[in-house]
Amino acid sequence: MFTMKQATVADAATVLALTRESYQKWVAVTGREPLPMRVDYAEALLKNRIDLLYEGDTLAALIETELEPDHLLIVNVAVSPAFQKRGLGRRLMAHAETLAAEASRAKLLLYTNSLMAENISLYEKLGYRIEREQQFGTSVQVYMSKMTS
């Protein structure tokens, strides 16, 4: 059985550990550590919401969101490799839609690396569309959005 709880600053090290584990597979693809692997989560938790998804006592996945005046930004979705391909990413994305609705935000935004084609495909299947692509250092960021109403 899965349960969700909102993270606190005390969870910062756990959030970083899961994020690093989750994103490790992308280092070889992108040629560098993706940004979520390098975040100070003690600081991020002071301004963003991070929800933790547990199976029993085991942290399986998380989602970080930032409430903006006109949208909800999905900052980070991380699923432990042991729990990937089980629909948890979809579950977390649905949770973000709920958070957006509760905050009266009709638009969700996210961005990802263009080399993370698997993630882009999932987001498109969930109704997100590519708004734009932008060069960011040596990579290309893909900005995607979804209207919920």
Side-chain angles (χ1 to χ4, degrees):
M1 169 174 262
F2 287 96
T3 57
M4 185 139 8
K5 80 163 195 156
Q6 191 171 339
T8 67
V9 173
D11 296 308
T14 303
V15 168
L16 177 61
L18 176 73
T19 300
R20 291 190 61 79
E21 176 188 27
S22 171
Y23 280 80
Q24 186 60 44
K25 71 180 183 180
W26 297 114
V27 174
V29 174
T30 63
R32 63 175 173 77
E33 287 188 343
L35 179 61
M37 294 177 78
R38 299 178 272 133
V39 168
D40 177 346
Y41 285 100
E43 184 178 312
L45 278 157
L46 295 176
K47 68 177 194 139
N48 296 344
R49 176 181 177 137
I50 300 178
D51 291 296
L52 308 174
L53 186 62
Y54 286 88
E55 182 178 55
D57 293 333
T58 304
L59 179 59
L62 63 83
I63 188 165
E64 178 181 359
T65 56
E66 183 175 335
L67 190 60
E68 297 290 343
D70 64 342
H71 66 274
L72 183 75
L73 175 65
I74 299 170
V75 178
N76 179 14
V77 179
V79 179
S80 169
F83 289 91
Q84 290 177 5
K85 307 293 183 201
R86 293 175 54 184
L88 300 186
R90 288 175 183 270
R91 183 176 182 157
L92 291 171
M93 296 298 285
H95 177 66
E97 288 187 32
T98 299
L99 293 176
E102 289 172 351
S104 300
R105 303 301 190 274
K107 185 175 187 177
L108 291 105
L109 293 176
L110 62 85
Y111 56 88
T112 190
N113 188 302
S114 65
L115 297 174
M116 297 179 178
E118 178 183 329
N119 291 354
I120 294 169
S121 176
L122 170 64
Y123 300 142
E124 288 178 328
K125 288 175 185 169
L126 296 176
Y128 287 78
R129 64 175 183 79
I130 296 173
E131 284 194 349
R132 65 186 167 96
E133 295 183 8
Q134 181 177 338
Q135 191 73 34
F136 184 75
T138 59
S139 64
V140 176
Q141 283 187 331
V142 178
Y143 293 82
M144 303 181 78
S145 66
K146 180 177 183 177
M147 299 302 293
T148 60
S149 59

